[in-house]
């Protein structure tokens, strides 16, 4: 009965999404206030129906209802409850229900928090979100029904893929989808602006918080996925330029450019056409990622489905939404001429450079990801584009981007001079140069990591220089006047603190990346009592024994790591066997510290010896610490009332005060 209720809720959600599309858009075209006013209630109704459908799916997994095909294929009675629930979205059908639920949440958020939006714009935004929901609800009901029945019920389920039975991956998809689908809101604002033929400073202010929220969630989602791959897959790395990894990076790059471009629209009413284009691209890349994961064109541990028919359906949706939006852009975009003018050397110019470099990086990633598929399709050639290509192609774009990131916030609007900015960054440049030279001197003249350390210090100290300049820390006649600086710091907008934290967070991530460039590893076959030396530590295999888990059995090694005769830690890497599905996985054992990770992976056993792959990963945790700081910077910026409150509300309040 629960499954039928869930299926009915999804059908009702489709009907409400269709009404949410037609009624407000027709009302906006006819300037009918009553029809436009219906957009909010319809969006809330659509949200409730999607939530009911998703709740029914969670119940089916929680009680292990083996009369539901989706539960049989992706769950098992012996699984812990967390992974039973995670199994609801750890598959293609369930993940699509989560996708449309988050889309409905976005529509409900626009309806609830967009009270200051002009009625016509709000109606069009909600109508476009409804149109997106219609396509994906139809896709679920036509090709991906999560509530399909099987009779007679199976004795038990087949279990979730063991590599997905992990807390990190349980929360990775929801965060990633909040980022992906969050850009649907900026897409809807862009299409609504094209329909109205008007983009102004108020539009830029309305778009910014949605872009910032989506970007923050996507940052966390990518970081969590990277962290999961690092400790769960047992290969010791954090990013492999896997096509599905790249599919998540593309909207992040476009979204980062959109964030900075929207600032120029809000402050100077320039780059309007470009910002609308970025809003379309960010969501277009999100849909492209959805297509790649579910079409079967890629073989990846991240892929949900291998069904060309579903892939064709999603490709049709991609062409309809993005192709239609770009056709509308080609028609209406030229009419939205920019009004703000600025010199090349200015904060606006710095943000333009930021956009060009980010979009160039996105173009490189897109070409490297899609070209192997096109080569196979057009020429029948099997080629591989891997880390060497991406690392070589991205580096020339990253260097000027990092240099501009520290200098850009210090540039004044409209027109600037370079020398005053460089004077305020001299100590950041000194710190970066010192980090680079020290790394070259003590790390064997390895240029890549040295550049990474220099760039990291440049960004971190540049963010500190931005805050110091805003609070005039070093401009007082007494050079350092803490009392006056503290007073200014307390009044500094939260958006300024958030932006500086996000820039510094990227610097912290670069510290981790540079440290990983100095990582060392060792592959050895050891018998109990034998040891190897790696990274200044002695790694001794003490024993190998059996272990039993809730739905798996394992062989567990005990590895003692010592330094100068003193025990540092004891690691327990495992090889787990899951009887349901007859799958073997590796569980890395990691001792994490601020200086880096001690990382051990257990391999095969043969003739009394056990294969161990050992890593000493310098500063590895800083990669994900930096990502958390970036997302936290976005969250702090969102608490700034100047970002959350629409410009027209302020103007109305000012006008009312003037009348009084």
């Amino acid at each position: 009965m629960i499954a039928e209720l869930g299926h009915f809720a999804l059908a009702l959600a489709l009907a409400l999404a269709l009404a949410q599309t037609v009624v407000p858009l027709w009302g906006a075209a006819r300037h009918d206030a009553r029809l436009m006013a219906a957009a909010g209630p319809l969006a809330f109704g659509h949200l409730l129906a999607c939530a009911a459908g998703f709740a029914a799916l969670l119940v089916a997994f929680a009680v292990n209802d083996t009369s539901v095909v989706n539960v049989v294929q992706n769950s098992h009675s012996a699984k812990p409850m967390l992974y039973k629930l995670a199994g609801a979205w750890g598959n293609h059908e369930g993940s699509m229900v989560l996708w449309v639920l988050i889309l409905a949440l976005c529509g409900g958020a626009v309806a609830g928090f967009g009270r200051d939006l002009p009625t016509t714009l709000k109606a069009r935004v909600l109508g476009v979100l409804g149109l997106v929901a219609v396509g994906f609800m139809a896709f679920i009901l036509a090709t991906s029904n999560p509530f399909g029945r099987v009779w007679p019920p199976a004795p038990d389920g087949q279990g979730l893929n063991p590599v997905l039975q992990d807390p990190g991956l349980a929360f990775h998809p929801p965060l990633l989808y909040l980022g992906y689908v969050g850009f649907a809101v900026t897409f809807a604002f862009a299409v609504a602006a094209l329909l109205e033929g008007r983009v102004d400073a108020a539009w830029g202010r309305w778009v910014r918080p949605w872009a910032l929220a989506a970007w923050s969630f996507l940052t966390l989602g990518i970081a969590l996925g990277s962290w999961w791959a690092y400790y769960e897959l047992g290969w010791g790395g954090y990013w492999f330029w896997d096509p599905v990894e790249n599919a998540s990076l593309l909207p992040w790059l476009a979204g980062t450019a959109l964030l900075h471009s929207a600032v120029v629209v809000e402050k100077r009413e320039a780059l309007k056409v470009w910002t609308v284009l970025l809003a379309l691209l960010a969501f277009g890349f999100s849909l492209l990622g959805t297509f790649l994961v579910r079409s079967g064109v890629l073989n990846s541990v991240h892929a949900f489905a291998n069904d060309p028919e579903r892939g064709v359906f999603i490709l049709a949706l991609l062409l309809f939404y993005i192709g239609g939006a770009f056709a509308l852009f080609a028609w209406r975009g030229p009419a939205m001429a920019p009004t703000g003018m600025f010199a090349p050397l200015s904060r606006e110019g710095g943000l333009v450079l930021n956009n060009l470099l980010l979009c160039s990086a996105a173009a490189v990633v897109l070409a490297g990801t899609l070209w192997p598929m096109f080569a196979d399709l057009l020429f029948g050639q099997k080629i591989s584009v891997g880390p060497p290509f991406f690392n070589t192609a991205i580096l020339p774009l990253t260097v000027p981007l990092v240099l501009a990131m520290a200098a850009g916030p210090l540039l004044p609007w409209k027109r600037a001079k370079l020398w005053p900015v460089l004077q305020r960054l001299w100590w950041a440049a000194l710190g970066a140069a010192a980090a680079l030279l020290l790394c070259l001197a003590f790390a064997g003249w390895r240029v890549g990591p040295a550049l990474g350390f220099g760039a990291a210090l440049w960004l971190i100290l540049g963010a500190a220089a931005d805050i110091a300049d805003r609070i005039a820390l070093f401009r007082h006649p007494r050079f350092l006047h803490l009392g006056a600086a503290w007073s200014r710091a307390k009044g500094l907008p939260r958006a300024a603190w958030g932006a500086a934290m996000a820039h510094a967070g990227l610097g912290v991530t670069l510290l981790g990346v540079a440290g990983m460039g100095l990582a060392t590893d060792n592959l050895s076959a050891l018998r109990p009592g034998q040891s190897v030396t790696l990274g200044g530590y002695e790694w001794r295999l003490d024993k190998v024994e059996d272990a039993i888990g809730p739905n798996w059995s394992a062989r567990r090694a005990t590895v003692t790591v010592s330094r100068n005769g003193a025990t540092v830690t004891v690691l327990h890497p495992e090889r787990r066997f899951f009887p349901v599905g007859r799958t073997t996985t590796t569980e890395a054992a990691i001792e994490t510290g601020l200086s880096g990770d001690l990382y051990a992976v257990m391999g095969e056993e043969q003739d009394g010896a056990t294969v161990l792959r050992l890593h000493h990963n310098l500063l590895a945790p800083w990669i994900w610490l930096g990502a958390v700081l970036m997302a936290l910077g976005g969250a702090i910026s969102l608490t700034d009332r100047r970002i959350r409150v629409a410009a027209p509300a302020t103007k109305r309040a000012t006008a009312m005060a003037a009348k009084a």
Side-chain angles (χ1 to χ4, degrees):
M1 186 63 181
I2 292 295
E4 282 70 30
L5 288 175
H7 190 260
F8 173 77
L10 295 182
L12 177 61
L14 173 60
L16 290 170
L18 188 60
Q20 181 185 334
T21 303
V22 174
V23 173
L25 288 180
W26 180 251
R30 298 185 58 187
H31 303 288
D32 189 321
R34 291 177 301 172
L35 294 179
M36 289 189 288
L42 286 171
F44 287 128
H46 175 63
L47 171 58
L48 289 175
C50 288
F54 188 68
L57 187 62
L58 288 178
V59 170
F61 273 84
V63 301
N64 198 42
D65 185 354
T66 55
S67 67
V68 177
V69 177
N70 198 17
V71 175
V72 174
Q73 293 176 344
N74 299 284
S75 191
H76 191 272
S77 59
K79 280 198 316 181
M81 181 56 70
L82 173 62
Y83 303 136
K84 286 183 180 180
L85 297 177
W89 60 79
N91 60 85
H92 166 72
E93 292 82 2
S95 69
M96 290 308 303
V97 178
L98 178 63
W99 205 99
V100 295
L101 172 62
I102 293 175
L103 181 61
L105 280 171
C106 291
V110 172
F113 297 111
R115 291 184 296 271
D116 294 321
L117 288 171
T119 304
T120 304
L121 179 63
K122 181 178 179 180
R124 286 188 168 126
V125 169
L126 289 174
V128 173
L129 288 174
L131 181 61
V132 176
V134 166
F136 282 93
M137 293 301 308
F139 171 72
I140 291 173
L141 293 172
T143 71
S144 308
N145 179 17
F147 297 107
R149 290 287 196 178
V150 58
W151 191 262
D156 209 337
Q158 300 171 11
L160 183 66
N161 186 341
V163 299
L164 305 181
Q165 295 185 35
D166 180 84
L169 210 66
F171 300 106
H172 165 63
L175 288 173
L176 203 63
Y177 289 177
L178 283 167
Y180 278 167
V181 183
F183 284 121
V185 180
T186 60
F187 172 81
F189 270 101
V191 173
L194 290 171
L195 291 172
E196 291 192 359
R198 181 171 62 90
V199 173
D200 53 17
W203 181 90
R205 175 166 287 191
W206 289 318
V207 165
R208 274 184 70 195
W210 300 105
L212 188 57
W215 178 87
S216 299
F217 281 119
L218 187 57
T219 301
L220 286 177
I222 293 173
L224 189 56
S226 170
W227 183 49
W228 167 81
Y230 172 74
Y231 72 78
E232 178 66 24
L233 299 185
W235 61 295
Y238 58 93
W239 191 265
F240 194 65
W241 295 105
D242 178 279
V244 180
E245 290 176 337
N246 296 347
S248 66
L249 182 62
L250 285 169
W252 187 88
L253 291 170
T256 306
L258 172 62
L259 270 178
H260 293 83
S261 183
V263 175
V264 182
V265 175
E266 180 186 347
K267 301 293 184 183
R268 302 288 302 150
E269 292 204 24
L271 302 184
K272 294 189 290 188
V273 177
W274 177 248
T275 305
V276 169
L277 178 62
L278 287 174
L280 301 182
L281 279 176
F283 186 57
F285 284 144
S286 297
L287 291 183
L288 177 64
T290 303
F291 166 72
L292 292 176
V293 171
R294 290 168 173 81
S295 62
V297 300
L298 296 176
N299 291 319
S300 168
V301 70
H302 305 81
F304 273 123
N306 186 14
D307 189 340
E309 292 184 3
R310 289 173 176 172
V312 170
F313 199 120
I314 296 178
L315 183 60
L317 291 177
L318 176 63
L319 293 176
F320 174 72
Y321 292 127
I322 304 306
F326 276 111
L328 182 62
F329 176 81
W331 176 39
R332 303 298 296 269
M336 296 183 293
T339 56
M341 304 298 293
F342 54 87
L345 185 58
S346 61
R347 185 174 296 189
E348 297 95 325
L351 293 172
V352 169
L353 177 63
N354 159 285
N355 273 220
L356 291 175
L357 293 171
L358 286 169
C359 290
S360 298
V364 168
V365 175
L366 180 66
T369 302
L370 297 185
W371 176 244
M373 290 181 287
F374 282 113
D376 186 19
L377 178 65
L378 298 177
F379 310 113
Q381 296 180 349
K382 299 288 185 181
I383 64 173
S384 176
V385 177
F389 165 77
F390 290 106
N391 293 336
T392 304
I394 292 294
L395 182 62
L397 300 171
T398 303
V399 171
L401 179 63
V402 169
L403 290 175
M405 279 181 64
L410 296 170
L411 292 169
W413 294 100
K414 197 171 182 179
R415 187 175 292 105
K417 294 182 179 180
L418 186 59
W419 178 243
V421 174
L422 296 179
Q423 285 180 311
R424 283 174 275 179
L425 285 172
W426 67 268
W427 52 287
L430 186 63
L436 188 150
L437 294 176
L438 287 173
C439 182
L440 288 175
F442 292 101
W445 295 91
R446 300 170 70 174
V447 177
L451 287 175
F453 282 115
L457 265 294
W458 169 254
L459 280 179
I460 295 170
L461 296 178
D466 176 33
I467 295 297
D469 181 69
R470 288 174 181 272
I471 63 176
L473 182 60
F474 300 119
R475 283 187 285 172
H476 194 271
R478 290 166 53 187
F479 183 72
L480 189 64
H481 195 287
L482 295 180
W486 175 245
S487 297
R488 295 188 186 92
K490 290 189 291 185
L492 198 62
R494 295 176 194 170
W497 288 106
M501 180 175 288
H503 284 196
L506 181 58
V508 172
T509 292
L510 286 178
L511 277 178
V513 171
M516 285 290 284
L518 301 176
T520 54
D521 61 87
N522 179 277
L523 182 65
S524 301
L526 303 178
R527 298 178 185 275
Q530 292 182 332
S531 62
V532 296
T533 300
L534 175 69
Y537 296 88
E538 182 184 1
W539 307 64
R540 185 182 71 247
L541 175 62
D542 292 331
K543 60 181 178 179
V544 180
E545 58 189 349
D546 293 327
I548 300 296
N551 60 334
W552 48 263
S553 60
R555 292 286 288 168
R556 176 181 297 164
T558 299
V559 180
T560 298
V561 185
S562 57
R563 190 167 196 168
N564 299 326
T567 299
V568 176
T569 187
V570 178
L571 303 176
H572 297 284
E574 298 177 351
R575 284 179 60 82
R576 292 181 179 176
F577 176 71
F578 292 79
V580 179
R582 304 193 63 81
T583 304
T584 301
T585 66
T586 58
E587 296 293 321
I590 307 174
E591 178 67 21
T592 296
L594 285 178
S595 62
D597 286 346
L598 302 174
Y599 185 109
V601 180
M602 180 181 175
E604 298 284 349
E605 297 178 76
Q606 187 174 10
D607 298 329
T610 301
V611 176
L612 292 177
R613 188 166 69 252
L614 310 174
H615 298 262
H616 181 216
N617 293 336
L618 290 173
L619 302 182
W622 294 61
I623 297 174
W624 302 287
L625 174 62
V628 171
L629 289 176
M630 283 190 277
L632 183 59
I636 291 174
S637 295
L638 279 172
T639 65
D640 192 329
R641 191 173 182 275
R642 300 181 311 156
I643 288 181
R644 292 183 289 105
V645 177
T650 304
K651 291 179 179 178
R652 281 201 305 272
T654 304
M656 291 175 65
K659 286 183 178 181

